Amino acid sequence: MARAALSWGTRDLARNAGVSPDTIARLERGERLRTATVNVIRAAFEKAGLEFIPENGGGLGVRFAGPSASKVE
């Protein structure tokens, strides 16, 4: 969902997070990754202007952090 919000493909996310496209594929298949790897992926999304929101009865989600958020290419 976060990739779609930014119109990023797996290679875009991999490049922005500094990981391999295979790592992104493993994450999206639900495979277990090291915490540090998940953290750098999350940081790439946050740098691009997304924020993760906790479950609030409707489930976990992401949204744009605000008007000052900018996309990373």
Side-chain angles (χ1 to χ4, degrees):
M1 187 167 83
R3 275 197 311 105
L6 295 169
S7 298
W8 281 0
T10 55
R11 286 188 171 95
D12 299 313
L13 175 55
R15 183 181 63 252
N16 283 296
V19 299
S20 74
D22 289 338
T23 298
I24 301 304
R26 289 180 26 235
L27 173 73
E28 292 183 351
R29 283 194 304 263
E31 294 181 24
R32 206 169 209 19
L33 300 178
R34 292 181 315 158
T35 301
T37 302
V38 174
N39 288 342
V40 298
I41 294 168
R42 180 180 179 137
F45 282 130
E46 290 172 343
K47 184 176 179 183
L50 295 182
E51 71 178 342
F52 290 82
I53 53 177
E55 187 170 342
N56 60 0
L60 301 173
V62 294
R63 64 180 171 207
F64 286 100
S68 63
S70 63
K71 283 188 178 183
V72 175
E73 292 294 327

